[in-house]
Structures are given as structure tokens and as C-alpha cells.
């Protein structure tokens, strides 16, 4: 598995500087524009805190989810088809499960780095109360991303062309991004829609990140969020072990 | 003295792919073939696209489990010992699948690590292989700047990183210009002299004749015949071929006029859409006979019989159809 990870790290050596810049610039611009700019229009407080305080951890979870789609979706399909990175590795002693595991490790690393950069920017805005909170939030955001990346990768390896992924992105990811409590509290949604949103993984990630960042996390809901997200990771890993084998050792 | 030592043994080998769509029919790419490849041999699969060559190669590469039959690679069952088998093989896929964002040398380094070779060992080996592939000067250039021939040589160098006992090459020179092909053949000859077993697929009969000690002709998932290029030609075809061209539509008529059904064995007439092939031991004599019969071709050409003719004889189709 580490042999497969080595490949991705080697490739990353060429691009890591650029990705770090993006990982910092993105939240910086978003928090300035939407949090501080648009947020100034929001009178009073949301759930008892300023809009920026409310919005930032939600966006962190949503950003992790989007990164997960790029790394666990587009990159996986490309590695399986266009770039043929997986089939090339599958001709060597590596087993499909190791090829999957190595890539997933790399995705985890990327998610954690992006989340760390984001939390660093949050700290600049005075939105992080201490190093313990920072670590917990980075961990929560990474788990949120992985909860999508693992099952998505298990499917993406079977996808023949990129347009299929684009469709899922447009009709699956965008609604989740908009309605999972990133920009406003899900309490504002009508009951049935709220119920649907609260079954979706991103809401669990948003709520986990937000309550941890605001110091309002309660044990029960947090364990539920953690269990749900971790369950998705496990399901994705188990499914991926099967789909990678089917696709690479046909 | 020749020591026989099979590196590949297969019997009744089949590969059926499940239907791609619900309600579709499964596709039988390989329909039961038997093979034996000796150590140090250059062994070829000759056949048109869709004959089952690539599916067979994937099974020999230990990445595709046979649907039926038995297969031993280096004495091991790849279904049970895939990892150990693949550790001793080199694979040159049809598409180079190099990492275009990495340099030439880096492509070798990352691939070597897949085999668990140490950094130091891979570095040394990469240096030797760059020399072998005549790419030393390009070592630190990105792959996207290489020509097709260079990329193919790099892919071969990459496949040799683990010092494999068997090198599997799928259509090694497809898409290359004649000069690049000759450079590549030269490198493959050298490998063969070093004792590496070469197994390749091709639909070029000249490539099969150049490179292969022994080959099988595949068609529709089956082996039509097996032997050295010389043996196959002698078994199925006369020594020479007279090619005659006439205005379109007249070939059938001329064939009758030349007494197609009354030719002495092993002579034969074959009517193709654009020409007539007269298989004869002596092409010039055949041409004299044609002229004596009052036949006036637009062009007449006498040439040696090739594997292309064998393929046509065995399958009723030409390789490039």
C-alpha cells in the first residue's frame, strides 16, 4: 500500500506548492467575501454567533467535501482510464486493494492538508479558540471528506468517462453544498426537506465541524456524526476493495 | 544442446467476459487454446484485431483470471500466486501509459518502487536501462516531449526494471514509423540474446517474421496453427506468389480462364477484390503460363510467400481487414 502511496507523493512533489497556495487563498477569499462582506448584511446573530463564526466551519466541511469529489472522483476515473495509472500498477506485484489503499491514503493526506490550511485562515480571522480545537476541527473536516472520497472512489474506478462524474457533481454535489447548512441553519428549512438534508453526509460533517469550532459540541450528536461518517468510510473501503479488483484484474 | 524448460504452459485456456449491459450476451474472447513457450524463445501471437491476442496476453500477465483451462507461468498458477508471478514478468502495454508529467528517469524510479526495489537499486538499474534504451540524454526531460519511438523504448525500459524472466509486449511497434520500428527490433534482439523470453502480439507479418522463433496464428479466439515462420509458410503455401492485377470485376473470369480448379498441387489461385494471387513454386514459370493462356494483366509481380499469405489461407481473410 505504501508503494502505491509513494507514486502519488512523487507526483505531488511537482504540484504541492501550487495546491498549498490554493488551499490558503480559497478560504481566505471566501471568508472575506461571504463571511465578512455578505455577512455584514446579516443583522444580529445566527444561532447566537456572528455570521462569519457560523459560516466558516460550515464552509470548511463543504470545501472538504468538494476536494473529496475532485480527488476521489475525477482523479480516480482518470487514473483508471485516461492516464492508466492503475492498470500500469496492476501489472506489477501490487494487488488492486493496495493500489486503492495507497491512493486513499494520499487523498486523506491531501484532505488533511487542505483542512489545516483552512483552519489556519480561520485562526487569522480569530475564529479558532485554541490548538486543541484546531486539531479537532481539522480531523472532523478530513473525516467528512473521506466519508465521500472512499465510496466515491469505489464507484469512480468503474466509470468509463468523465461526463458521468460531471452529472453527479451538478445534480448531487451542488444541492448538498447549498442545503446542508453551510450558508444557513437547516432549522430554517421546511420539515420534510430538513429531514432529507439531515440524512445526507455533508450535514453531519457541517454540524460536527461547526459545533467543535464553536465549542457547542455535545457528546451524543457528535458520536452520531462520527459514527455515520466513519461508517461511510468503512463502507467505501469495503466496496472499493471489490470494485478495484473487478476493474483492474478482469 | 537445447534444454527444454517451459516458462508458459497453457491448456484449454478460455476467457469469457460478462455481458456489458443487462440482457447482453457474454463475449468469449479466447475460446480454448493450448500453448507452450520455452525459456529464451521469442514467441508471437499473430492475428487481426479482435482475434483474442490481447485477452491472452492479459492472462499471461497475471492480471486476468482464465474462465476455464489451466495456466502455469514460470511453473506457478497465477490465480493463486499472482503477486509472485507478476514480480518476475515485464509488461509493455499497447498504450505506453507513461506518466507524462514526470521525467524519463522518474518514470523508471516510481515503477521500480512498485516492485519493492530499494531506492539505490532502482537508481542503478534506471541508469543501465536508460543506456540500453538510448535515452540517457533525455533522462531529465519530461515524457510529454518524447517522440512515439522514444516513448515505446522507455516503456520497454520500464518493463525491464525488475530484470524479468519473461517480457510481454502487446503490439510493440504499432503506430511507429519504419525507422523507429527498426531501432526497437534491434533492442528486442539484444534482449533475446541476453536470454529474456519474449512474448509478443502483432498484426504485422514482417514483425512476426523478424522477431519470432515460433508463433501461433490466432483467429476468433482460437489458434489456427503453430510453428516457425518458415515452417508455417512451407506447410500451407508455395515458395512464391505471383500477384496479378486486372481491371475491377475481371478477376473471377480470369481465374476460371487460368484453370483455377485444375491446377497441379500445391498450386492455388486466390481471388481478392483488387488482385489475383497465384501460389506457385516458381512465380516466373506461372507468369509464362498465364501469358501463354492469353491473359494480359495490368501489373504482374512475383514475390516470396509471407505469413500474410498463410493467414489468408488459414482464415480466408487478410490480416488488415
Amino acid at each position: 500500500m505504501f508503494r502505491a502511496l509513494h507514486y502519488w507523493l512523487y507526483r505531488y512533489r511537482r504540484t504541492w506548492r501550487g495546491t498549498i497556495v490554493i488551499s490558503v487563498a480559497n478560504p481566505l477569499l471566501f471568508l472575506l467575501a461571504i463571511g465578512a462582506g455578505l455577512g455584514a448584511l446579516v443583522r444580529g446573530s445566527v444561532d447566537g454567533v456572528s455570521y462569519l463564526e457560523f459560516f466558516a466551519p460550515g464552509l470548511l466541511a463543504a470545501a472538504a467535501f468538494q476536494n473529496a469529489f475532485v480527488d476521489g472522483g475525477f482523479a480516480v476515473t482518470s487514473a483508471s482510464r485516461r492516464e492508466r495509472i492503475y492498470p500500469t500498477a496492476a501489472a506489477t506485484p501490487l494487488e488492486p486493494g493496495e493500489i486503492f489503499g495507497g491512493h486513499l491514503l494520499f487523498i486523506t493526506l491531501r484532505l488533511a492538508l487542505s483542512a489545516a490550511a483552512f483552519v489556519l485562515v480561520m485562526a487569522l480571522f480569530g475564529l479558532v479558540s485554541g490548538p486543541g480545537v484546531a486539531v479537532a476541527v481539522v480531523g472532523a473536516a478530513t473525516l467528512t471528506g473521506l466519508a465521500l472520497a472512499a465510496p466515491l472512489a469505489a464507484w469512480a474506478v468503474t466509470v468509463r468517462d468523465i461526463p458521468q462524474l460531471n452529472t453527479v457533481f451538478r445534480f448531487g454535489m451542488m444541492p448538498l453544498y447549498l442545503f446542508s447548512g453551510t450558508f444557513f441553519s437547516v432549522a430554517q428549512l421546511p420539515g420534510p426537506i430538513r429531514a432529507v438534508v439531515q440524512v445526507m453526509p455533508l450535514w453531519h460533517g457541517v454540524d460536527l465541524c461547526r459545533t467543535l469550532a464553536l465549542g457547542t459540541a455535545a457528546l451524543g450528536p457528535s458520536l452520531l456524526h462520527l459514527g455515520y461518517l466513519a461508517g461511510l468510510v468503512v463502507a467505501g473501503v469495503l466496496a472499493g476493495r471489490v470494485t478495484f479488483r473487478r476493474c483492474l484484474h478482469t | 544442446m537445447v534444454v527444454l524448460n517451459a516458462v508458459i504452459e497453457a491448456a484449454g485456456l478460455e476467457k469469457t467476459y460478462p455481458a456489458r449491459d443487462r440482457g447482453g450476451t457474454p463475449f468469449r474472447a479466447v475460446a480454448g487454446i493450448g500453448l507452450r513457450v520455452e525459456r529464451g524463445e521469442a514467441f508471437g501471437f499473430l492475428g487481426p484485431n479482435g482475434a483474442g491476442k490481447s485477452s491472452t496476453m492479459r492472462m499471461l500477465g497475471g492480471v486476468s483470471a482464465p474462465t476455464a483451462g489451466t495456466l502455469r507461468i514460470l511453473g506457478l498458477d497465477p490465480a493463486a500466486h499472482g503477486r509472485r508471478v507478476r514480480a518476475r514478468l515485464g509488461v509493455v502495454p499497447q498504450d505506453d501509459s507513461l506518466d507524462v508529467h514526470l521525467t524519463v528517469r522518474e518514470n523508471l524510479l516510481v515503477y521500480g518502487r512498485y516492485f519493492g526495489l530499494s531506492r539505490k537499486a532502482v537508481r542503478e538499474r534506471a541508469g543501465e536501462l536508460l543506456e540500453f534504451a538510448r535515452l540517457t540524454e533525455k533522462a531529465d526531460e519530461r515524457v510529454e516531449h518524447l517522440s512515439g519511438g522514444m516513448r515505446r523504448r522507455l516503456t520497454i525500459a520500464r518493463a525491464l526494471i525488475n530484470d524479468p524472466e519473461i517480457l510481454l509486449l502487446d503490439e510493440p511497434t504499432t503506430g511507429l514509423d519504419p525507422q523507429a520500428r527498426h531501432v526497437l527490433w534491434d533492442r528486442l534482439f539484444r534482449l533475446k540474446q541476453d536470454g529474456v523470453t519474449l512474448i509478443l502480439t502483432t498484426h504485422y507479418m514482417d514483425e512476426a517474421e523478424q522477431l519470432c522463433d515460433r508463433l501461433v496464428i490466432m483467429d476468433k479466439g482460437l489458434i489456427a496453427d503453430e510453428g516457425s515462420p518458415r515452417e508455417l509458410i512451407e506447410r500451407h503455401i508455395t515458395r512464391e506468389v505471383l500477384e496479378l492485377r486486372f481491371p475491377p470485376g475481371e478477376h473471377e473470369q480470369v481465374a476460371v480462364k487460368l484453370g483455377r480448379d485444375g491446377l497441379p498441387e500445391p498450386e492455388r489461385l486466390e481471388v481478392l477484390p483488387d488482385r489475383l494471387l497465384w501460389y506457385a513454386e516458381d512465380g516466373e514459370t506461372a507468369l509464362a503460363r498465364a501469358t501463354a493462356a492469353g491473359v494480359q494483366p495490368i501489373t504482374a509481380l512475383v514475390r516470396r510467400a509471407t505469413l500474410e499469405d498463410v493467414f489468408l489461407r488459414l482464415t480466408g481473410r487478410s490480416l488488415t481487414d
Side-chain angles (χ1 to χ4, degrees), chain A residues 3-4 6-7 10-11 13-14 83-85 88-95 98 160 247-250, chain B residues 15 20 58 63-65 83 86-87 95 97 99 101 103 106 109-111 113-116 119 158:
Chain A
R3 293 184 199 171
H6 174 266
Y7 168 81
Y10 211 93
R11 239 167 97 104
R13 295 205 315 194
R14 283 198 180 277
E83 298 186 88
R84 300 194 64 75
I85 293 164
T88 301
T92 73
L94 292 188
E95 293 290 341
E98 295 174 291
R160 284 179 198 283
C247 288
L248 299 181
H249 281 182
T250 47
Chain B
K15 183 70 193 183
R20 207 175 255 186
R58 288 178 53 75
V63 295
S64 173
R83 189 193 280 274
R86 293 195 301 276
D95 45 47
S97 66
D99 192 317
H101 305 295
T103 66
E106 285 171 336
L109 299 182
V110 292
Y111 197 74
R113 298 286 287 168
Y114 284 159
F115 286 86
R119 251 167 242 276
R158 184 179 69 176

Side-chain angles (χ1 to χ4, degrees), chain B residues 229-254:
Chain B
R230 206 64 257 155
E231 280 168 5
L232 286 168
I233 290 168
E234 279 167 12
R235 195 176 301 153
H236 298 284
I237 297 288
T238 53
R239 205 171 61 87
E240 289 188 331
V241 188
L242 170 63
E243 289 200 15
L244 300 170
R245 279 174 207 271
F246 296 93
E250 286 184 19
H251 293 95
E252 195 61 39
Q253 256 173 278
V254 174

